[in-house]
Amino acid sequence: MEKEVQDIIILNLSGAATKIAGLAGVADYLYNVLGYRPTDITGISSGALLTVGIAMRKWDVLRDFTQSFTLDDIFDRKPVNKKNKITLNAKIRAIIGKPSLGTQGNLYKTLRKVITPEDFKRYQEGDFPNCWIGSVDVKTGARFICNVKESKYSYDDYLHIVIASTSIPLAVEPVLYKDMILFDGGIRNHILSAWALEYYGPRVKETISVFSRPEEYHGILDRDWEARNIINVFERYNDITVIEISKRDEREEKLQLALMKKDKHKIKNAQVFIPSIIKELYDTDPTKLRKLYSAGFKAAANKLGDW
């Protein structure tokens, strides 16, 4: 059941694809150095994968998983290989008219290792933060945002809801859930910070939002880019779309905060941005993952040293 509290303290985690290590590094600092204790955690895509694990403070598992996962931990049919080249299987799927270049069936197995059925039961019954996860129903275009702390969601529901939030269109297939066709929440929002402020209103006392991109986004895109194949064209399209949606979400959060403060609502807030280390959509280079985790931790320390 939803946790009933008077003062709301929020941690918002953006989408990140394989840049998930940066989000985890920031959260590690927030919990274990700053002592930040959210009542609510929101997550989109990779952020959704982390929500319940962070809520339960499974730091050993999260540190290992986010810095060592491979393409095999995500895909049972890979759209790309380790060199980010389109696979033969992906080409065949495109030719025969499949709805995606790959499928991420292995992510279900991976998530089951991070959050077991026993973990999830303890999470729903225990004194842990609400975890809000966002995806998009492409049948209607509507957002589907739910709190998996509520007892009406089973463990299987949780798995489907999280995987749906990570399912990038064209790269992988959607998740069929109830009467919806769900894809990545990043189609509509990079982060749920503005939504959370509007949902809880004046009850919000503190909020920290973690963006998987740098604050200055002008140098993110490689100016030497060329249209080499369908994968790198899709990645370029995805990169531009994510940046624009992220910029809009950042502005909407700031506007919502300004309006609330104008109405005399005292809210302590911060936005943390992570340096650009991983460029490709599905880069799982372990050296980069470790570097990104550390960069996220340091970014949080630099931003929130006087919090």
Side-chain angles (χ1 to χ4, degrees):
M1 58 186 295
E2 183 175 345
K3 188 178 179 180
E4 293 294 335
V5 293
Q6 185 60 40
D7 291 343
I8 302 297
I9 300 172
I10 306 174
L11 170 60
N12 300 295
L13 303 172
S14 78
T18 57
K19 297 187 287 292
I20 188 173
L23 301 178
V26 173
D28 194 339
Y29 177 87
L30 295 181
Y31 265 80
N32 299 308
V33 178
L34 192 65
Y36 192 67
R37 294 293 180 265
T39 60
D40 291 74
I41 303 172
T42 75
I44 290 284
S45 194
S46 296
L49 281 168
L50 293 175
T51 53
V52 174
I54 290 174
M56 299 187 73
R57 306 184 202 179
K58 296 190 65 174
W59 294 111
D60 288 343
V61 173
L62 293 179
R63 288 170 185 145
D64 177 64
F65 160 63
T66 59
Q67 296 179 80
S68 64
F69 68 92
T70 68
L71 292 177
D72 288 328
D73 292 315
I74 304 172
F75 303 108
D76 52 335
R77 297 182 181 90
K78 301 183 186 72
V80 296
N81 59 27
K82 291 181 180 179
K83 296 182 179 179
N84 211 48
K85 304 295 184 182
I86 187 169
T87 62
L88 176 60
N89 182 71
K91 294 176 182 178
I92 294 172
R93 288 178 62 83
I95 291 170
I96 65 177
K98 293 291 185 179
S100 66
L101 296 173
T103 56
Q104 55 179 17
N106 287 352
L107 192 55
Y108 285 92
K109 300 176 184 177
T110 300
L111 183 55
R112 286 188 182 99
K113 295 176 183 176
V114 176
I115 301 296
T116 66
E118 294 74 22
D119 288 333
F120 190 70
K121 183 176 187 294
R122 186 161 61 89
Y123 164 70
Q124 285 193 322
E125 295 177 351
D127 184 23
F128 298 105
N130 297 316
C131 287
W132 299 89
I133 294 170
S135 56
V136 175
D137 178 10
V138 294
K139 289 174 66 176
T140 64
R143 292 183 302 189
F144 175 57
I145 301 172
C146 62
N147 176 13
V148 295
K149 188 80 164 68
E150 296 181 22
S151 58
K152 67 180 180 180
Y153 296 110
S154 68
Y155 180 66
D156 283 342
D157 288 331
Y158 162 72
L159 294 175
H160 283 85
I161 289 166
V162 171
I163 302 303
S165 187
T166 71
S167 297
I168 298 173
L170 300 183
V172 298
E173 294 181 334
V175 171
L176 306 181
Y177 180 69
K178 300 189 182 297
D179 61 344
M180 296 178 288
I181 301 176
L182 298 177
F183 267 121
D184 195 316
I187 294 175
R188 290 205 37 181
N189 291 102
H190 188 230
I191 195 166
L192 289 174
S193 50
W195 172 87
L197 288 168
E198 184 175 2
Y199 180 82
Y200 279 118
R203 293 176 63 192
V204 179
K205 300 304 176 185
E206 298 181 23
T207 176
I208 295 177
S209 296
V210 186
F211 291 82
S212 63
R213 62 166 174 85
E215 186 170 12
E216 297 298 327
Y217 46 82
H218 302 290
I220 295 177
L221 298 175
D222 180 7
R223 292 181 178 270
D224 295 326
W225 180 87
E226 294 179 355
R228 297 191 307 272
N229 55 56
I230 191 171
I231 286 292
N232 88 311
V233 170
F234 167 68
E235 285 187 330
R236 190 66 163 193
Y237 163 77
N238 185 73
D239 288 343
I240 293 171
T241 301
V242 167
I243 289 171
E244 293 304 313
I245 292 174
S246 183
K247 286 160 54 180
R248 184 205 64 199
D249 287 346
E250 179 190 351
R251 289 193 300 267
E252 288 187 0
E253 178 185 345
K254 289 178 178 177
L255 176 60
Q256 190 74 24
L257 286 165
L259 291 173
M260 295 172 77
K261 290 178 180 178
K262 186 177 180 181
D263 290 336
K264 309 303 182 184
H265 300 149
K266 294 183 179 180
I267 300 176
K268 190 175 183 181
N269 67 282
Q271 294 177 327
V272 180
F273 297 87
I274 301 170
S276 181
I277 293 173
I278 287 179
K279 306 292 185 181
E280 288 79 13
L281 182 62
Y282 289 123
D283 189 348
T284 59
D285 182 287
T287 300
K288 292 179 183 177
L289 293 178
R290 291 191 294 270
K291 186 176 179 180
L292 189 58
Y293 195 102
S294 177
F297 192 94
K298 291 176 181 177
N302 292 336
K303 180 70 175 184
L304 301 168
D306 59 353
W307 175 267

